[in-house]
Structures are given as C-alpha cells and as structure tokens.
Amino acid sequence: MKDVLLIALFAFGGAVCAGVLGALVLRLVRHRSVAVSLTVIAAVAVTAMLAGTLAVAEAMFLSPHDLGVVTLVVAMAAVVSLATALLLGRWVVARSRELSVAARDFGDGGSFAAPSGPATAELASLSRELAATSGKLAASRERERALEKSRRELVAWISHDLRTPLAGLRAMSEALEDGMAEDPERYHRQIRTEVDRLNSMVGDLFELSRIHAGALALSPSRMSVYDLVGDALSGVDPLARERGVRLVGEAVDRLPVEVDGKEMTRVLANLLINAIRHTPADGTVAIAASLRAGAVVVSVTDGCGGIPAEDLPRVFDTGWRGTSARTPVPSAGAGLGLAIVRGIVEAHSGRAVVRNVPGGCRFEVTLPAPA
C-alpha cells in the first residue's frame, strides 16, 4: 500500500509541474487561434503523463530499457494526440470562419444563412441565435422603413393641409389691412375658425409625437364605460346636430374599466367625430359597449357606406383619410385622429379594429376587463 501511495505521489507531482507549465503557455496564447489552444492542451496531457512516468521511474529505479520503452510509448501517444488536436482545431477554426462570414453578411443589411456542413453543438447553437437575431433585425428594418414612409407621407400631408389655411389667413388679413373686406366681421370669424383648426392640428401632432416616442403618461383609474360614453356623446352632440346626424347610445352596459379617463374620452370622441363627418345627413351613428370574452368592447358604427377592402389595413395609419365613400372633407383634419386612437388604445394594452357592416363600418376598441 505504501508503494502505491508513493507512486501516486510522484506521478501527481510530475503531472502538476506539467500542468502549471501548460497553464502559463495557455495564458500566453489565449488570444491566438483555438487550434493553438487545443494543441497546447493535448501537449499538456501528454507531458503530464510523461513527467509523472519519469518521476516514478526515477523513484523506482527502473532499468534503462524499461524507461526507454515507456518513453517511446508516451512519445507515440504524443504524436497521435497532437495530430488529432491539430485536425480538430483546424476544423473548428474553419467552421468559425464560415460563421463569421455569414454573420458579417447579415450585419451589412443582408439576412443570415447558417453555413452548411456539420458543426459543434456550441457553433450550432450560435448559428441558431444569429438566425433569430437576423429575423428580428429584418423585422426591425421593415418597421423602420414603414415608419419612415409614414413620416414622409405625414410631412407631405401636413404641408398641404397647412398651406391652404395659411394662404387663406394671409389673403383675409391683407384684405382687412387694405380695407377691401366688405364684411370684416365675417372675415374675423373665418380667421378664428382657421386658427382653431390649425391649433387642433398642432395638438394632434403633439399627441401623436408623444405616442410614437413612448412618452404618453397614463393615470389609470377604475371608472364606468357608461360615464365615458356619456361624456364623449355630450362633447360631439353639437357637431352631430349641425350635420343632421342622429347619435344613438342606448346599448351601453355599465361596465367597469381601468383606464385614463382623459385619454379614453379622447379616443371615443375621435371615433365619434370621425363617424359623424363621414355619415350623410339624416344618418345614424351608434355607440355600444358590452363584455365579450372577458374584455370590454366599445364599438362605434357609422353610415359612411363602407371602406374599400384594400384600404382597411391602412385605416389606423398616420395621415390616412380614405377614398371613395370616405373622401376627406375640408374640416376633416390631417388624418391623425385614428392613429391617435390606436396609439392610446395600445398604451392601455388594448386593440382597435375596423370592419365593414351593411351601410357603413364599425370601429371596435377592446380593453382588458379589470380583475
């Protein structure tokens, strides 16, 4: 038993010396190729075995012949180990370089395609992660392009909508200044109307910028949908009377919701104003609220005649004002109302959709019911 312990002690001491030397070499080559590191590791394993064997041989006073045989065996093992490490290292390096080229391609705006051929589990996992990241980047670039297109359209639409009232204001102010206005009071009223319209447009732009920037601060509290609908209806009643449109809000259940009252009233008011403006005289705009599949659904139905199927996906886009049955009217604003509706509703973890119904269309706002 004592001899076995001595052999183990001498073998361990020799292996530790080889291991310490190998660790130092690994530290020096840590920035080099993985093939070099694998070769060093193989060399350390063989050297540790050889050092342990030599230490035991020296302590046990082996014959020169036996020592030569052991050394030769270890040397052959070293050759095979080093060759295997080099082959494995070159293979791993080649797969890594292929992966680097593929990653560089999708980093330059392309899509990631995993290199063909076998790979280690780590490289295969890295390829899957890069493919997932490539998909996310592609979706992000697509959203960025869509947002940029929306911004350009918005600038064009806003420029057009601002140019018309500003030209009118300038003409009226020059007429008043030159004393050419036959009815100054009418000019003053018209100027006030145009200023109010511009002020409303600027307010919508500010609200939309807050939504897009994620700076819309909500102060939710529990309230009744019935009260929200009542406030919105009372606010748009003068516009409905002016246009000869009937407002119907009898199918509104007294359901609780957890929302920001001010912002949600703006949502309902925007939907109602939009519906009134596109409903002909003697038409009806109906608002309803009910509990559906555990969520509160508020709907506004108008008599616009329907929206073309190709336009339905764009209804909530910034600047959209429609065609055909929903051709914009001079007082319809810059087409920001529905974009604001969607932004506020999504900030409440809800969703806004639109669908055609006989004679018109129905906008639905779905809000999570409070626990």
Side-chain angles (χ1 to χ4, degrees), residues 30-361:
R30 63 184 183 277
H31 298 302
R32 302 290 296 277
S33 170
V34 66
V36 177
S37 298
L38 288 174
T39 303
V40 171
I41 291 173
V44 167
V46 174
T47 304
M49 183 174 61
L50 180 60
T53 301
L54 292 176
V56 172
E58 182 70 22
M60 301 296 294
F61 303 104
L62 291 180
S63 65
H65 177 269
D66 293 339
L67 182 60
V69 170
V70 171
T71 304
L72 181 62
V73 170
V74 173
M76 293 301 101
V79 171
V80 174
S81 299
L82 292 175
T84 303
L86 284 172
L87 288 175
L88 176 61
R90 288 173 62 86
W91 180 76
V92 172
V93 169
R95 299 286 84 77
S96 300
R97 287 174 178 170
E98 292 175 359
L99 194 59
S100 298
V101 172
R104 187 183 307 119
D105 290 341
F106 96 85
D108 292 337
S111 59
F112 176 79
S116 59
T120 64
E122 293 77 9
L123 291 179
S125 176
L126 180 58
S127 295
R128 289 192 295 271
E129 292 297 329
L130 288 174
T133 302
S134 175
K136 293 177 182 178
L137 285 175
S140 177
R141 285 193 290 265
E142 186 62 30
R143 286 194 300 269
E144 185 178 354
R145 283 193 291 267
L147 184 58
E148 183 60 28
K149 179 182 177 182
S150 176
R151 286 197 185 108
R152 288 197 299 268
E153 291 177 347
L154 176 61
V155 170
W157 286 324
I158 290 297
S159 299
H160 176 270
D161 288 336
L162 288 176
R163 188 180 297 114
T164 300
L166 288 174
L169 287 171
R170 177 167 182 164
M172 287 185 287
S173 63
E174 289 177 350
L176 289 171
E177 184 179 5
D178 297 338
M180 302 296 293
E182 297 180 359
D183 187 358
E185 292 298 325
R186 183 175 67 84
Y187 275 52
H188 288 147
R189 289 193 300 271
Q190 185 64 26
I191 289 175
R192 176 61 182 270
T193 300
E194 293 297 337
V195 169
D196 289 342
R197 181 186 171 199
L198 291 173
N199 183 65
S200 176
M201 191 183 302
V202 171
D204 286 347
L205 281 171
F206 178 71
E207 183 76 2
L208 195 61
S209 67
R210 287 201 303 159
I211 292 172
H212 285 169
L216 183 63
L218 299 177
S219 300
S221 60
R222 185 181 290 261
M223 57 187 64
S224 172
V225 173
Y226 186 86
D227 295 333
L228 287 172
V229 171
D231 293 341
L233 285 174
S234 62
V236 301
D237 184 65
L239 178 63
R241 291 180 182 275
E242 177 186 343
R243 293 179 174 271
V245 175
R246 293 185 299 275
L247 293 177
V248 177
E250 299 172 355
V252 179
D253 296 337
R254 297 178 180 272
L255 300 169
V257 287
E258 194 84 17
V259 296
D260 186 307
K262 178 182 176 182
E263 297 296 342
M264 196 52 59
T265 299
R266 179 167 191 165
V267 165
L268 298 180
N270 281 0
L271 290 177
L272 288 169
I273 291 172
N274 184 72
I276 292 170
R277 283 173 173 166
H278 295 95
T279 299
D282 295 330
T284 299
V285 171
I287 185 168
S290 60
L291 189 64
R292 188 186 308 168
V296 178
V297 180
V298 182
S299 64
V300 175
T301 307
D302 60 30
C304 69
I307 301 174
E310 62 272 15
D311 283 345
L312 281 175
R314 298 197 60 208
V315 167
F316 292 98
D317 288 354
T318 301
W320 184 87
R321 289 180 294 190
T323 57
S324 302
R326 299 177 68 88
T327 299
V329 293
S331 60
L336 306 180
L338 293 179
I340 291 173
V341 165
R342 180 175 62 179
I344 295 176
V345 171
E346 290 180 350
H348 283 86
S349 301
R351 68 179 186 276
V353 298
V354 60
R355 61 175 57 90
N356 284 326
V357 297
C361 60

